[in-house]
Amino acid sequence: MSPRGVAIPDLRERLFSAAERVVARDGAAALTSRAVTSEADCAKGVLHTHFSGLDEFVAELVLDRFARSARQAEALRAEVGRATVAENLQGVVGTLLESLPPAVVGLAMTRPAAASHTREGFRSGAPAFDAIQHAVTAYLQAEQAAGRIPAVSDAGAIALALVGTTHHLLMTRGPAEATDTAATTRRLLAVLLGG
């Protein structure tokens, strides 16, 4: 689902980035249309010109960040045989955790209209955790074919465990817990990959 009339991708990203900065600096309660446009150095009404309101804007921000994370996960295929499998997977998890700041995810979950719009976007085919899981599975299968992980490893189960843990971390971590989530992911990968 695309916002009404947003013709300039740079403007869309500019508004999304501004919203993330507002939430990171001032908290979710400070996110208003005016705060976003002020932070983005845009005309005050520009957000409502391109989105039906703040709820649609927040939902589109979340959908955009999921899509970006799914693209990053798809790019894993190009990493087959490079670095270590754990490092490659850690990079994707890190990108996902950075792409969806906890306060933004929380904001989308606590605004019923934003949550509904986000769910509708996922039902309409916008990438979500299942797309990321599929990409991680495909990557692991390619690494199996390259002999970098045992052929008996269950790539699908590893991907599910990794993506499920990432989902849990997204929904439960606080803004100051980035180091803890990275350490948790490293420990999980050591268990899942047998090392």
Side-chain angles (χ1 to χ4, degrees):
M1 299 182 67
S2 10
R4 299 175 305 141
V6 174
I8 306 168
D10 289 345
L11 175 61
R12 179 180 163 94
E13 180 55 34
R14 190 167 156 194
L15 291 169
F16 287 165
S17 295
E20 289 173 327
R21 289 192 303 274
V22 168
V23 170
R25 184 183 62 236
D26 304 322
L31 190 69
T32 63
S33 301
R34 186 170 292 226
V36 172
T37 54
S38 220
E39 181 72 23
D41 197 24
C42 294
K44 286 183 178 45
V46 75
L47 188 142
H48 290 284
T49 300
H50 299 294
F51 298 90
S52 65
L54 191 60
D55 287 321
E56 181 186 28
F57 173 77
V58 167
E60 289 293 332
L61 167 59
V62 171
L63 291 170
D64 180 83
R65 294 330 193 211
F66 267 106
R68 183 168 71 181
S69 296
R71 286 190 303 273
Q72 179 71 25
E74 298 254 339
L76 267 174
R77 287 298 293 263
E79 299 304 314
V80 173
R82 299 182 182 167
T84 68
V85 174
E87 287 168 341
N88 292 335
L89 292 172
Q90 183 81 34
V92 168
V93 171
T95 297
L96 180 56
L97 293 173
E98 289 167 17
S99 293
L100 288 167
V104 172
V105 173
L107 184 65
M109 290 172 34
T110 58
R111 298 178 70 96
S116 175
H117 186 87
T118 303
R119 281 192 303 274
E120 182 56 38
F122 290 146
R123 278 193 295 270
S124 297
F129 282 109
D130 56 342
I132 296 165
Q133 181 182 336
H134 177 74
V136 171
T137 300
Y139 164 73
L140 288 167
Q141 289 168 339
E143 290 285 20
Q144 278 179 311
R148 297 210 321 147
I149 60 174
V152 296
S153 296
D154 185 337
I158 293 170
L160 175 61
L162 183 63
V163 173
T165 300
T166 303
H167 179 268
H168 172 74
L169 293 173
L170 272 171
M171 298 299 128
T172 61
R173 74 185 174 130
E177 297 178 84
T179 304
D180 291 344
T181 57
T184 298
T185 305
R186 276 193 300 278
R187 289 195 316 274
L188 176 66
L189 286 168
V191 169
L192 293 175
L193 299 173

